[in-house]
Amino acid sequence: MTTFESRNPAHPSSIVGTFAVADAAAVDDAVRRATGAQRAWAQVPVPARAEIIGSIGDVLASRKADLARLVTLEAGKILVEAGGDVQEAVDMAGFIAGQGRAAWGTTHPCEMPNKFGFTTRHPVGVVGMITPWNFPVAIPSWKIFPALLAGNGVVIKPSELAPACCDAFVEACVAAGVPADLVNVVHGFGDVGAAITTHPGVRAISFTGSVPTGRRVAAAAMEVGPKLVSLELGGKNAAIVMDDADLDLVVEGALFGAFGTSGQRCTSTSRLVVHRAVADELVERITARATALRVGDPMDATTDVGPVITAESAARIHGMVERAIDEGNTLVMGGHAVEPSECEGGSFYTPTLLRGAHRDSYIARNEVFGPVLAVLEVESFDDAIETVNDCEYGLSSAIYTHDVNLAMQAVHRLDTGIVYVNAPTIGAEIHLPFGGNKHTGNGYREAGTRGLEQFSETKSVYIDYSGRLQKAQIDNREALS
Ligand code: UN1
């Protein structure tokens, strides 16, 4: 049996857990168990499924401190943000539990007399899920809870960088009453994801990760499908700062948006699109505050910025910063890896501010997934909107202004799935749809009421109680001669 270890990114010599790599037989077995359990689960009334999901929320809440510690240990998030990760799953459980007693479709009058139409949801069967390490509790909850509410079975492969978090999450589901075999975790690397994606018993794939992997997942699923495929991919999120913005608020938002979670959220702010009139002052103020951020052990309550996930990640981030400098950006602060004394061998990157990026430079167009913020200066509101939209991603954006007209125009014109006004690009709440435009996704949204769409088939039902054959589009029209 092949195994792999998950390690603490702040202390890489410390092993969080050892996991068996699932081979083809193990994936097969997981799909078979999910298929069997799903048949019975689909017979459970939706409100009863919802009650179990509500109980998962209670179990997660009661274990919040321990789960948050595990998130910190395995994913390197500072403790307070790890708590947020778990809380997001608790919130999701409450929301989805409520959905179990909400409308399950729509009703429609029909064009013929004594006939009525409605829609209802039907489970898709077994859903395959591939999830990232950066929200190792929240993201499985966004996928698993709606999938279960809709009556499905699940096979999930979490990132090999945060397997213990997923195991702990699924353990909480089982402790709350989710039937054994309904949710199956398989561990491993890309080939395990591929085995799930191409398995004939898996009808839908829900993937969160990078654009290149997402493309491969979708292509493989279609090759053996068609299957339902929902993709949540990268972001290159920008916050616009107009010349009337409250700069105190911008500084707070930029620090949290860009350097929170060490910049490793798909919603992290990585471009600050600033009106030229306030650029000097803003850069100075962000630098003053960011220099004071404490980079260190995420378990320590005084730490602001924890590690990045791996040494490879730190090297990749550094490569992007070097390239940005080569392309004419000014390095205002940071720009190097650090190793805090208490975290031997850990991979940390200092909060980094670059200035002078032009729209075509690599740093302005590509996701960093690290604590790096590029400042782009603009002359006007139109210039700002065009700059933000001139990018292949479309997840999250923000505008800081007091001008309500500009704020609303930005809401309409920014080509992203999420827009914030006077708030950073991170921090979405689970009862609103989450997802993005352009290469960020393929049209689905997670969370909110739309979160159920990727996990259910819509069934349109017509009831004819006239007792005779009625021909729509024909009987109620004049005969053609
Ligand atoms: C992610 O980074 O993949 O909006 C999810 C946010 C969080 C979710 C981020 N609620 O920042």
Side-chain angles (χ1 to χ4, degrees), residues 293-295 297 299-305:
L293 292 175
R294 208 182 98 70
V295 179
D297 193 330
M299 207 54 95
D300 179 340
T302 65
T303 294
D304 300 303
V305 180

Side-chain angles (χ1 to χ4, degrees), residues 239-247 250 273-279 282 378-385 398-403 406-407 410 422:
I240 295 173
V241 182
M242 291 307 297
D243 51 355
D244 69 333
D246 175 345
L247 293 190
V250 176
V273 176
V274 185
H275 194 286
R276 205 172 288 289
V278 292
L282 185 60
V378 289
E379 304 286 348
S380 64
F381 174 72
D382 284 336
D383 192 6
I385 298 285
I399 180 165
Y400 284 88
T401 180
H402 284 123
D403 184 331
L406 287 187
N422 292 327

Side-chain angles (χ1 to χ4, degrees), residues 88 132 134-135 139 142 208 264-267 369 418 420 425-429 434:
E88 201 155 331
N134 73 328
F135 274 82
I139 291 180
W142 297 1
T208 300
Q264 299 173 110
R265 296 193 190 206
C266 52
T267 49
F369 230 64
I418 304 167
Y420 290 91
T425 59
I426 69 174
E429 301 178 27
F434 182 95

Side-chain angles (χ1 to χ4, degrees), residues 118-447:
F118 67 92
T119 68
T120 186
R121 294 183 186 283
H122 193 75
V124 301
V126 175
V127 182
M129 301 174 179
I130 302 172
T131 54
W133 57 267
N134 73 328
F135 274 82
V137 174
I139 291 180
S141 84
W142 297 1
K143 296 185 191 298
I144 291 176
F145 294 162
L148 292 183
L149 187 71
N152 302 295
V154 173
V155 176
I156 180 168
K157 189 203 90 68
S159 163
E160 66 278 9
L161 299 170
C165 290
C166 188
D167 279 354
F169 174 75
V170 171
E171 229 175 84
C173 296
V174 173
V178 168
D181 291 354
L182 191 61
V183 179
N184 302 271
V185 188
V186 287
H187 289 296
F189 303 82
D191 51 340
V192 180
I196 296 172
T197 303
T198 54
H199 198 290
V202 173
R203 165 75 177 131
I205 299 291
S206 181
F207 172 82
T208 300
S210 72
V211 171
T213 310
R215 283 204 183 102
R216 285 207 301 277
V217 165
M222 289 307 164
E223 198 64 30
V224 296
K227 296 189 183 203
L228 310 180
V229 179
S230 68
L231 305 172
E232 277 297 333
L233 309 175
K236 183 69 197 173
N237 314 295
I240 295 173
V241 182
M242 291 307 297
D243 51 355
D244 69 333
D246 175 345
L247 293 190
D248 290 334
L249 194 61
V250 176
V251 171
E252 294 298 325
L255 293 177
F256 183 49
F259 306 136
T261 329
S262 303
Q264 299 173 110
R265 296 193 190 206
C266 52
T267 49
S268 289
T269 312
S270 62
R271 294 180 291 163
L272 204 57
V273 176
V274 185
H275 194 286
R276 205 172 288 289
V278 292
D280 285 345
E281 183 183 350
L282 185 60
V283 166
E284 207 171 290
R285 289 172 65 173
I286 292 176
T287 309
R289 286 287 307 280
T291 320
L293 292 175
R294 208 182 98 70
V295 179
D297 193 330
M299 207 54 95
D300 179 340
T302 65
T303 294
D304 300 303
V305 180
V308 293
I309 190 70
T310 56
E312 295 74 51
S313 186
R316 186 186 46 75
I317 295 164
H318 190 58
M320 288 187 76
V321 171
E322 284 186 319
R323 180 161 178 181
I325 295 167
D326 283 349
E327 288 183 355
N329 279 272
T330 308
L331 178 66
V332 180
M333 64 165 291
H336 56 88
V338 274
E339 191 181 311
S341 54
E342 75 274 22
C343 298
E344 203 186 315
S347 297
F348 292 74
Y349 205 82
T350 46
T352 297
L353 194 62
L354 291 158
R355 185 173 180 181
H358 53 88
R359 281 201 220 169
D360 293 329
S361 60
Y362 192 78
I363 196 77
R365 308 189 83 86
N366 293 280
E367 185 167 42
V368 180
F369 230 64
V372 177
L373 181 61
V375 175
L376 287 88
E377 289 169 42
V378 289
E379 304 286 348
S380 64
F381 174 72
D382 284 336
D383 192 6
I385 298 285
E386 279 161 26
T387 301
V388 174
N389 287 344
D390 184 14
C391 167
E392 67 176 18
Y393 295 110
L395 181 54
S396 179
S397 60
I399 180 165
Y400 284 88
T401 180
H402 284 123
D403 184 331
V404 68
N405 294 350
L406 287 187
M408 283 307 295
Q409 286 173 35
V411 167
H412 287 292
R413 290 175 59 187
L414 288 168
D415 193 1
T416 57
I418 304 167
V419 179
Y420 290 91
V421 175
N422 292 327
T425 59
I426 69 174
E429 301 178 27
I430 56 83
H431 49 293
L432 274 75
F434 182 95
N437 306 346
K438 300 191 271 187
H439 287 188
T440 291
N442 63 341
Y444 283 103
R445 291 291 184 266
E446 304 207 272

Side-chain angles (χ1 to χ4, degrees), residues 7-217:
R7 287 171 184 264
N8 179 339
H11 304 275
S13 58
S14 140
I15 293 167
V16 179
T18 302
F19 303 84
V21 175
D23 56 12
V27 171
D28 235 23
D29 191 47
V31 175
R32 194 159 18 82
R33 279 184 277 127
T35 306
Q38 189 266 337
R39 283 198 197 102
W41 180 245
Q43 303 309 313
V44 175
V46 178
R49 292 180 208 153
E51 268 173 40
I52 294 179
I53 295 164
S55 308
I56 303 174
D58 297 339
V59 173
L60 291 171
S62 72
R63 298 180 182 178
K64 181 173 170 180
D66 286 347
L67 281 166
R69 259 181 72 84
L70 184 61
V71 170
T72 296
L73 273 182
E74 197 173 48
K77 285 190 180 189
I78 60 171
L79 208 45
V80 53
E81 289 184 8
D85 194 324
V86 178
Q87 186 59 44
E88 201 155 331
V90 173
D91 295 346
M92 192 66 176
F95 176 73
I96 292 293
Q99 287 296 109
R101 289 184 186 272
W104 204 240
T106 50
T107 62
H108 306 264
C110 281
E111 63 183 62
M112 310 306 295
N114 294 320
K115 191 178 170 195
F116 183 70
F118 67 92
T119 68
T120 186
R121 294 183 186 283
H122 193 75
V124 301
V126 175
V127 182
M129 301 174 179
I130 302 172
T131 54
W133 57 267
N134 73 328
F135 274 82
V137 174
I139 291 180
S141 84
W142 297 1
K143 296 185 191 298
I144 291 176
F145 294 162
L148 292 183
L149 187 71
N152 302 295
V154 173
V155 176
I156 180 168
K157 189 203 90 68
S159 163
E160 66 278 9
L161 299 170
C165 290
C166 188
D167 279 354
F169 174 75
V170 171
E171 229 175 84
C173 296
V174 173
V178 168
D181 291 354
L182 191 61
V183 179
N184 302 271
V185 188
V186 287
H187 289 296
F189 303 82
D191 51 340
V192 180
I196 296 172
T197 303
T198 54
H199 198 290
V202 173
R203 165 75 177 131
I205 299 291
S206 181
F207 172 82
T208 300
S210 72
V211 171
T213 310
R215 283 204 183 102
R216 285 207 301 277
V217 165

